[in-house]
Amino acid sequence: MKSLLIINAGSSSLKFAVFNLPLVKDAPSVFRGQIDGIGANTQFVAKDIDGKTLLDTIIKSPEGTPLEAQQELALTTLLDWIEAQKVELAAVGHRVLHGGEQYSAPVVVTPEVFKVLETFIPLGPLHQPHNLRPIRVLAAKYPSLPQVACFDTAFHRTQPLEAQTYAIPRKITAEGVKRYGFHGSSYDYIARQLPEVIGAEKAKGAVIIAHMGNGASMAALRDGKCVATSMGFTAIEGLMMGTRTGSIDPGVLLYMMETHGYGPKEISNFLYKESGLLGVSGISQDMRTLEASDAPEAKEALELFCYRAAREIGSLMMAAGGLDALVFTGGIGENSQFVRNKVIGYLEWFGAKIDPELNKVCGKAHTIHSADSKLAVAVIPTNEEWMIAHHAVTLLGL
Ligand code: ADP
């Protein structure tokens, strides 16, 4: 049987999923797992279709092995394991951060396309090189194996100019310093589920999708197309996240530079790693831990997370010209009754009403608003890997 391998490679981790062909709608992956701690203590975990652990092992490399070589070793170890499962790969789909201004849809990666994707490295230096490395390694090892890149930015290319532009000097904008937006594969997947879950008419209206995981963003849709999104040039802007600040007065960064002597590295850690739920609570970045905690700081972090989400909805409602439906997805959006309830509470003045019983149901696509709610509210579990697999199948005619 032929299969598809889906890869989401970061600097220290590589997530993967294997789908059998032909690809059925919402088919579960036959294998999935991840390699974590690359560069430190590399652990490889693989699970079968039922979530049973098939492998949990450490990948060893000699002391002093450069990160790039360790990333390549992680990938080749995965490929060897896949081969040992008698999986025959028909194609590989990759999650790639940046498609720049050029790519508004997934693309088959040819050597020419790969060169273009490399030019986007300055736009996403923390992710793009790590997303591209497996493509290069696979192309060298299996030159005839087709590879498809799906971009986090692609879904947002329909945003109007004003939604993409910062109020900065034109020449910096011309360098590509624009609002791109991310989490595109998740929005792409949710947008396709909308008619079934909230009805065709509402799905064509003003819809806000809240993707809330460790990273969190929102997108406003009209007629199924993105008209605005909360993330911008990087994945920092917008909502408060697990460890990221979300939007912040840049004056705070000047203050940290002048008063605490912060340089680029410290500023980067401050924005990406030390803030958000973790920074405010001082306890954890994990929503489950905070919900279970009695500490006032945990409660404060939760309240701020929801408040910031509600403020962002207010802004996106203006961009979408109203609000017909609000959809929650991502680990927090799909599972946290507290967050959904609190965020909808801010929309009560608008006529949004949640059904507490329906809000208790997690893990399936369904609506959670009450019959007299002006607004449709839904939970839709996202499936980024399946979305990437679907694009690979469509593009390659598999
Ligand atoms: P990533 O962005 O890394 O893919 P996920 O989408 O898996 O992350 O989301 C992780 C977040 O979801 C964590 O904050 C986690 O605590 C939260 N989460 C997962 N399950 C629950 C739950 N049952 N209740 C509340 N939060 C949850």
Side-chain angles (χ1 to χ4, degrees):
M1 184 179 291
K2 294 227 167 192
S3 304
L4 282 173
L5 170 63
I6 308 303
I7 289 180
N8 176 1
S11 99
S12 64
S13 73
L14 187 158
K15 293 185 187 157
F16 72 95
V18 175
F19 293 92
N20 281 343
L21 291 172
L23 186 73
V24 179
K25 187 174 181 304
D26 287 330
S29 51
V30 284
F31 300 112
R32 65 168 52 228
Q34 60 189 76
I35 303 179
D36 277 319
I38 303 169
N41 191 19
T42 311
Q43 188 184 11
F44 178 9
V45 175
K47 297 185 173 177
D48 70 4
I49 195 164
D50 301 315
K52 198 178 101 200
T53 302
L54 298 174
L55 180 80
D56 186 345
T57 186
I58 300 292
I59 302 175
K60 288 208 177 70
S61 43
E63 189 87 5
T65 307
L67 180 64
E68 278 191 28
Q70 293 196 43
Q71 290 170 335
E72 292 189 15
L73 177 65
L75 177 65
T76 48
T77 308
L78 168 65
L79 294 172
D80 290 345
W81 182 80
I82 286 177
E83 217 168 274
Q85 309 312 304
K86 311 263 181 285
V87 169
E88 197 187 336
L89 292 182
V92 183
H94 298 266
R95 178 175 176 185
V96 175
L97 178 81
H98 236 292
E101 288 178 78
Q102 199 157 334
Y103 295 109
S104 56
V107 64
V108 178
V109 187
T110 61
E112 293 71 33
V113 168
F114 190 82
K115 283 197 190 110
V116 177
L117 299 185
E118 283 185 310
T119 66
F120 303 144
I121 288 176
L123 299 177
L126 297 178
H127 293 95
Q128 192 80 348
H130 308 301
N131 302 154
L132 297 184
R133 192 158 297 122
I135 302 182
R136 187 162 42 74
V137 171
L138 279 158
K141 206 168 152 102
Y142 308 104
S144 58
L145 183 67
Q147 300 195 68
V148 167
C150 294
F151 306 103
D152 262 44
T153 51
F155 185 79
H156 307 293
R157 296 309 305 146
T158 50
Q159 287 184 102
L161 187 65
E162 61 269 28
Q164 295 185 47
T165 312
Y166 286 114
I168 56 174
R170 298 191 78 81
K171 64 173 201 278
I172 306 297
T173 306
E175 283 178 17
V177 180
K178 296 183 176 182
R179 303 192 65 256
Y180 293 97
F182 301 94
H183 290 137
S185 295
S186 176
Y187 292 124
D188 191 1
Y189 179 80
I190 302 294
R192 288 163 195 256
Q193 314 303 310
L194 284 176
E196 213 175 291
V197 183
I198 60 170
E201 200 184 323
K202 277 209 155 61
K204 281 189 162 193
V207 178
I208 293 177
I209 304 171
H211 176 106
M212 294 168 160
N214 283 313
S217 72
M218 288 185 182
L221 278 59
R222 266 269 169 204
D223 210 5
K225 305 254 179 321
C226 178
V227 292
T229 188
S230 63
M231 280 181 171
F233 180 61
T234 67
I236 299 172
E237 198 180 342
L239 303 173
M240 174 178 172
M241 306 178 212
T243 58
R244 287 172 240 167
T245 54
S247 293
I248 184 168
D249 179 351
V252 174
L253 306 181
L254 294 174
Y255 170 85
M256 295 308 288
M257 289 158 82
E258 283 158 8
T259 311
H260 291 258
Y262 274 25
K265 199 168 181 336
E266 290 81 12
I267 291 283
S268 174
N269 283 339
F270 181 76
L271 290 170
Y272 280 102
K273 296 189 175 153
E274 298 164 357
S275 298
L277 292 171
L278 174 67
V280 176
S281 70
I283 297 170
S284 172
Q285 67 182 73
D286 196 286
M287 187 56 87
R288 274 168 299 200
T289 309
L290 297 182
E291 285 189 10
S293 168
D294 291 328
E297 293 85 358
K299 179 132 178 56
E300 214 177 288
L302 282 178
E303 298 281 342
L304 185 58
F305 183 87
C306 299
Y307 171 80
R308 290 283 300 266
R311 292 272 304 257
E312 194 66 48
I313 290 171
S315 165
L316 291 172
M317 279 170 87
M318 295 305 286
L323 188 57
D324 296 304
L326 176 62
V327 181
F328 290 92
T329 193
I332 296 172
E334 290 165 27
N335 297 299
S336 175
Q337 295 171 45
F338 173 87
V339 169
R340 294 195 297 252
N341 193 43
K342 192 85 197 169
V343 172
I344 298 300
Y346 281 101
L347 278 159
E348 233 172 68
W349 62 272
F350 186 70
K353 282 192 193 147
I354 203 164
D355 180 319
E357 288 308 310
L358 291 174
N359 190 33
K360 283 184 189 156
V361 183
C362 293
K364 67 168 193 144
H366 70 303
T367 54
I368 58 169
H369 57 267
S370 60
D372 57 345
S373 176
K374 180 176 163 193
L375 189 70
V377 184
V379 178
I380 306 181
T382 197
N383 198 343
E384 289 157 286
E385 292 89 5
W386 186 88
M387 193 68 250
I388 295 171
H390 173 79
H391 281 303
V393 164
T394 312
L395 267 177
L396 300 167
L398 295 172

